[in-house]
Amino acid sequence: MTEHGFEHPDVIVCPGGPLLLRGEHVVEDADGNTHATQRPVSAVCRCGKSADQPWCDGTHKVLPARDRP
Amino acid sequence: MLLPKARGELSEALYDALRSETGEVGSLHLQPTDGDDAQIALWAMYELHYAGFEDAGDEMEWHPDVLRLRRRLERDFEAELRARHTATTLDEPFAESLFSFIADHDGPSLAAYVQRKADREQVLELLRHRSIYHLKESDPIAWVVPRLPTAPKAALMELQFDEYGDGDPNRLHAHLFALGLEAAGLRPDLYAYIDDVPVEILELNNAMSLFGLHRRLRAAALGHLAAFEATSSLPSRRMAQGLARLELPPEMIAYYEEHVEADAVHEQLAVRTICGSLVAEEPQLVDDVVFGAFTCLDLEDRYAQRMLDEWAAA
């Protein structure tokens, strides 16, 4: 807890995993297509291997440790 | 919804009591005939706190004799669950350590079987069994909300809001599963298949209600949630692929596809912002988080093994 309350970041970088985004955003994927967030929190792929780009699908967990973000 | 079929002497006596028009409950001191009998009796008593039964009086939810029996069966069940678990300490940092604990747990995979080998009848059987939980998906963990301090309470609601469709009933996960059942030609009404499920499914469901309904077990409930979410995304992808292979309807496939994406978020929230904030505030609860996580994984293993054995023998 901080002096004025709780830490509540808009963006959370998960070690070895996705980037969490709180709130409404439009994300452009690597091919230039845009995707609007649909949930209170969204997980953006950081390992590049998700089959559901730009969103995380958990694939980072089956990568060797050196290939995780 | 009516009370399910009795599975032994104790559940028979319990249902007689629950159906009693006078509200009189006779002796419920019988011992259960077997595990099936104990688990269906416990399931029925828990269900009084959810949707209830048309043939059981509403007053029975809080009838002291019913609660006394529930407590007796819960004690035995919790003791059994704890006996299956070997206490494990988690290193720092907590989140990575809990993810590793879950990832290192090795068990049989129903999703892998569905993806590549299962036939249509086997998948429909699985969906009937899963319907007992999925038609009230996320309800057991909802009991935990008022039992949490500020940070984990807000974090749990952030996840639960998504489970309940972000305010849109059309996206509520239990509703998506009902649509999938209906499209697959199965019954979408609550617990239509309760009489068909093996004891392992009853244990899976009863463990969630046990953890959810006891403040003392709030950390086990959240640990269970973390393990459930952290073992969902990749298996849901495999389920979706298996269902597509067998040409099951798009509504059922959509349910699993939704869980690929949703649970990739939810696992991070469950481990980091929910369990993480709880143990930051109450570090003594780490062991119960691990107990809950183990119980989720272990009960899933037991169900998976049973079904794989049955299908292999057929």
Side-chain angles (χ1 to χ4, degrees), chain B residues 85-92 97 101 286-287 290:
Chain B
H85 170 58
T86 308
T88 311
T89 49
L90 291 187
D91 300 327
E92 291 294 330
S97 187
F101 174 80
V286 171
D287 290 348
V290 178

Side-chain angles (χ1 to χ4, degrees), chain B residues 105-164:
Chain B
H105 182 97
D106 207 10
S109 170
L110 278 176
Y113 184 82
V114 168
Q115 181 186 26
R116 291 191 296 267
K117 295 188 186 146
D119 64 30
R120 192 181 172 89
E121 280 313 305
Q122 290 168 341
V123 169
L124 292 177
E125 183 179 17
L126 187 65
L127 295 174
R128 291 195 295 271
H129 292 172
R130 292 296 192 193
S131 71
I132 306 305
Y133 174 63
H134 288 330
L135 289 175
K136 66 169 182 198
E137 191 165 322
S138 304
D139 289 351
I141 198 76
W143 302 119
V144 184
V145 175
R147 296 168 180 157
L148 297 175
T150 303
K153 177 185 281 177
L156 178 56
M157 283 310 300
E158 192 168 50
L159 184 153
Q160 285 290 85
F161 189 59
D162 203 28
E163 291 284 345
Y164 287 142

Side-chain angles (χ1 to χ4, degrees), chain A residues 44-61:
Chain A
V44 178
C45 171
R46 287 204 305 143
C47 74
K49 304 285 195 245
S50 168
D52 189 28
Q53 295 291 339
W55 313 121
C56 171
D57 69 353
T59 298
H60 59 273
K61 293 197 286 185

Side-chain angles (χ1 to χ4, degrees), chain A residues 6 8 12 14-15 17-18 20 22 38-43 51-52 55-62, chain B residues 96 99 150-151 158 161-162 166 171 230-231 233-234 237 258 260-262 264-265 267-269 272-273:
Chain A
F6 294 88
H8 191 62
I12 300 173
C14 301
L20 299 184
R22 280 200 169 100
Q38 303 286 334
R39 346 178 150 271
V41 185
S42 304
D52 189 28
W55 313 121
C56 171
D57 69 353
T59 298
H60 59 273
K61 293 197 286 185
V62 294
Chain B
E96 278 61 41
F99 268 126
T150 303
E158 192 168 50
F161 189 59
D162 203 28
D166 305 308
R171 291 178 58 202
T231 52
S233 272
L234 297 170
R237 169 84 72 207
E258 158 67 9
V260 173
E261 193 181 302
V265 180
E267 67 177 342
Q268 300 295 339
L269 298 178
R272 295 176 194 283
T273 64

